Amino acid sequence: MIEPPAASRYAEAMYRRTFLASTVGLIAAPIPYTQLYGTGGIAPPPPVASGDSIFEAWKQGFILRTASVGLPMARVNELLAGLTPDPRVLAADQRQPELSRSMGDYLAGSVSQARVNAGTRQRTEGSVWIDPIAEQHGVPAEILVAIWGIESNFGQNQGDYDVVRSLATLAAEGRRRQFGESQLQAALKIIIRGDAPRERLKGSWAGAMGQTQFTPEDYLNYAVDADGDGKRDIWTSSADSIGSSGNFLARKAAWRRGQGWAKEVFLPTDGSFDYGLSEGERHPWAWWAERGVLPMGGQAWSPADAEEAAGLILPAGWSGPAFLILPNHFAIRAYNNATTYALAVGLLADRIAGRPGVLAAWPVETPIALADRIAAQQALASLGFDVGEADGVLGLKTRAATRAWQRTRNMPADGYLTFGLIQALKSQAGLSSVLPVSPAS
Ligand code: CA
């Protein structure tokens, strides 16, 4: 199976504000928090409720644990004084998308023409300072600009949650204690060292900050001073932001200089191709070519790319676009471990570089309700296929189970559950009368 590298920026990618999990196109990007909760900002502390005694107890314990890693207790006390949990953070952490969103719809939003235009302009106007950064880290300028665009709309949307409060909320709630505490310690370190004042540490509900949407730990480990003013400023310096992303991709994600990230391909349509090869073993280009896989639009493979082991993905199933993904696809996923994210960054970068976008058409899909996603997993389990937990997240394990089921029915084994396939699965497992049926809209 295709697995991301161990050095993943977020094993916890799920608590970022974007597209949960690595389900390919079946999970919707969550609604932006501004839509759900208003623009918010640092909310005034609400009156202390009785439940806040749990938060207070956690806070006192945390302060003691923080002292043991060398942070000055008096200063930490002062920084956390009056802090209360943020209910918006808990709501965002627990949110499950009700309806799936198709890959085509998702990419139309994240790689919009407006964003391509803005990225192209930034790339052109900033070449004097972007090009040396790209050269230094060996990461193409268009990849750095695309990440900048997707993470913060080129610095414009950095999020306005109070990062200290968000991380404290996640830590106190318990489910994310280890992540919350270690990131909160890193955030306090940033403030105490004087890298940034407390009020500048704003970001996403999950604690990602600045134009790069770095976690506090990634800031400490990978942020760089690219504009030479002596400060590592990912909040107001575009050069520091681009430089920090480049440093992160080169050092943490092992970006391979001189290589691409993926190539769209054309698969044989004569029925000979085994779609079960998707998300399977990786092979060099020549291996795929022997099986009739052709580069889409005549895009040639560079010698460096052709030698790499490439894996096949079918983000919208066998009837949609197909890609051979290269190691740099997984480097992008060190930023956010989702296929959807890597495709958005890579495709936006391609467009900024003047290359074509996706040539094959994305299929028109019926959205799938959460209840149906869970029902599909329950049906697969009842038929003897291992899906892990039936949680509505159609991840690698569910997709492997789907492939196995598809083989028993002589279907293309792409592992991709459409609305129609889910109805067939439920019917075969005798579940259709028990669970709600999605509206066929
Ligand atoms: Ca700087």
Side-chain angles (χ1 to χ4, degrees):
M1 302 305 285
I2 295 171
E3 292 292 346
S8 166
R9 175 164 175 242
Y10 294 115
E12 330 73 12
M14 71 256 292
Y15 21 122
R16 297 198 46 166
R17 76 254 173 278
T18 37
F19 17 85
L20 304 198
S22 60
T23 54
V24 184
L26 277 177
I27 293 290
I31 299 160
Y33 68 84
T34 45
Q35 235 165 287
L36 280 176
Y37 306 111
T39 46
I42 301 175
V48 175
S50 57
D52 288 353
S53 60
I54 295 169
F55 184 83
E56 268 309 308
W58 163 80
K59 196 174 98 175
Q60 295 313 320
F62 170 76
I63 290 171
L64 291 174
R65 288 189 286 284
T66 297
S68 74
V69 298
L71 288 174
M73 202 192 290
R75 188 84 173 92
V76 171
N77 246 322
E78 186 190 327
L79 287 167
L80 300 184
L83 200 66
T84 56
D86 186 344
R88 299 178 308 159
V89 170
L90 293 178
D93 189 29
Q94 285 153 14
R95 192 169 58 235
Q96 257 271 44
E98 180 50 40
L99 276 182
S100 64
R101 187 177 177 193
S102 77
M103 194 59 156
D105 280 353
Y106 165 71
L107 287 175
S110 54
V111 191
S112 63
Q113 188 61 47
R115 192 170 268 165
V116 171
N117 294 345
T120 306
R121 197 172 58 244
Q122 296 280 3
R123 167 77 189 88
T124 308
E125 291 173 0
S127 64
V128 160
W129 55 272
I130 295 173
D131 288 351
I133 290 172
E135 176 54 32
Q136 181 191 350
H137 298 293
V139 181
E142 60 268 21
I143 290 281
L144 297 174
V145 172
I147 286 176
W148 191 28
I150 291 202
E151 289 295 330
S152 66
N153 199 20
F154 313 103
Q156 290 175 57
N157 303 335
Q158 301 183 25
D160 53 10
Y161 280 77
D162 171 8
V163 163
V164 167
R165 189 178 180 209
S166 293
L167 292 170
T169 303
L170 291 172
E173 192 265 342
R175 201 158 63 93
R176 312 263 191 240
R177 175 148 300 164
Q178 203 186 345
F179 169 86
E181 289 207 357
S182 61
Q183 295 294 346
L184 181 55
Q185 283 177 350
L188 294 170
K189 206 176 278 182
I190 290 168
I191 299 165
I192 291 167
R193 284 169 31 154
D195 285 315
R198 166 86 165 76
E199 59 274 15
R200 192 173 293 166
L201 266 61
K202 293 197 189 144
S204 77
W205 64 268
M209 317 178 297
Q211 301 190 26
T212 57
Q213 293 288 284
F214 270 13
T215 61
E217 284 186 344
D218 282 337
Y219 174 89
L220 289 176
N221 292 328
Y222 300 106
V224 295
D225 171 27
D227 61 15
D229 71 348
K231 290 258 182 203
R232 303 186 294 165
D233 181 358
I234 59 168
W235 298 274
T236 66
S237 165
S238 300
D240 285 8
S241 301
I242 292 267
S244 297
S245 289
N247 188 48
F248 175 89
L249 286 175
R251 285 183 47 216
K252 183 168 184 182
W255 181 276
R256 300 189 186 194
R257 187 188 281 262
Q259 294 186 14
W261 66 279
K263 291 277 190 292
E264 188 182 355
V265 290
F266 185 79
L267 305 178
T269 51
D270 60 1
S272 66
F273 191 76
D274 176 11
Y275 294 101
L277 292 169
S278 63
E279 293 191 292
E281 284 179 14
R282 293 182 236 175
H283 301 280
W285 167 244
W287 189 94
W288 293 105
E290 281 168 19
R291 279 148 191 84
V293 178
L294 298 169
M296 199 70 168
Q299 300 175 61
W301 282 60
S302 70
D305 286 348
E307 280 174 22
E308 279 294 350
L312 177 68
I313 58 168
L314 306 168
W318 67 273
S319 69
F323 300 86
L324 284 179
I325 53 175
L326 292 157
N328 283 340
H329 166 93
F330 294 101
I332 298 171
R333 283 171 59 166
Y335 227 105
N336 186 337
N337 192 10
T339 305
T340 46
Y341 178 83
L343 276 178
V345 166
L347 291 170
L348 179 58
D350 281 354
R351 297 285 308 281
I352 290 170
R355 293 187 286 272
V358 179
L359 296 173
W362 293 102
V364 175
E365 298 183 61
T366 302
I368 299 165
L370 177 60
D372 255 2
R373 299 198 296 272
I374 292 172
Q377 291 174 313
Q378 290 171 336
L380 284 166
S382 77
L383 294 170
F385 301 101
D386 179 15
V387 296
E389 192 192 344
D391 54 4
V393 178
L394 306 180
L396 273 179
K397 213 164 182 181
T398 299
R399 297 199 292 273
T402 301
R403 281 190 192 91
W405 171 70
Q406 287 171 321
R407 285 200 180 91
T408 68
R409 303 279 301 242
N410 261 335
M411 296 169 173
D414 60 1
Y416 190 75
L417 284 169
T418 60
F419 181 83
L421 278 188
I422 287 179
Q423 307 319 311
L425 247 181
K426 281 164 51 176
S427 164
Q428 190 186 340
L431 289 178
S432 49
S433 59
V434 191
L435 287 151
V437 174
S438 290
S441 59

